Amino acid sequence: MNEKELLEQGYREYSGEKIDVFFKREICEHAAECVKGNGEVFDVERRPWIMADAADADEVAAIIDRCPSKALKYIKK
Ligand code: SF4
């Protein structure tokens, strides 16, 4: 899916230099794979709660691949 399609589906974009992260709150199952994966990138106490550049893009992608609900998606640049 491209950026436009994700935004049309209700995902919100968190841009980074090497990777853009997308999140759709409505389908998040709160499994916390993201937060457990890297608390610097994913921090629910912070705004914005996702900082795509806080870790290596490959690591961010690997964590997002473990999101069980597909509430998180990414596009590498
Ligand atoms: S891993 Fe996915 S489903 Fe789990 S809390 Fe994060 S965004 Fe939500």
Side-chain angles (χ1 to χ4, degrees):
M1 232 183 291
N2 65 31
E3 177 185 26
K4 184 167 173 279
E5 289 167 335
L6 286 166
L7 296 176
E8 279 171 3
Q9 287 196 10
Y11 282 80
R12 179 192 266 252
E13 183 170 2
Y14 299 81
S15 288
E17 218 163 278
K18 295 190 177 144
I19 188 168
D20 288 336
V21 177
F22 297 82
F23 177 64
K24 187 171 180 178
R25 181 196 309 257
E26 292 77 12
I27 59 174
C28 171
E29 293 167 356
H30 307 291
E33 287 295 335
C34 50
V35 180
K36 279 186 282 180
N38 189 313
E40 300 290 318
V41 178
F42 303 99
D43 181 353
V44 292
E45 306 294 329
R46 183 187 61 203
R47 290 292 174 270
W49 83 278
I50 299 170
M51 291 185 67
D53 288 336
D56 183 76
D58 287 337
E59 184 189 338
V60 174
I63 294 166
I64 292 176
D65 285 339
R66 296 202 295 271
C67 170
S69 67
K70 304 292 176 224
L72 284 170
K73 290 184 182 278
Y74 62 86
I75 296 175
K76 280 193 187 175
K77 296 182 174 173

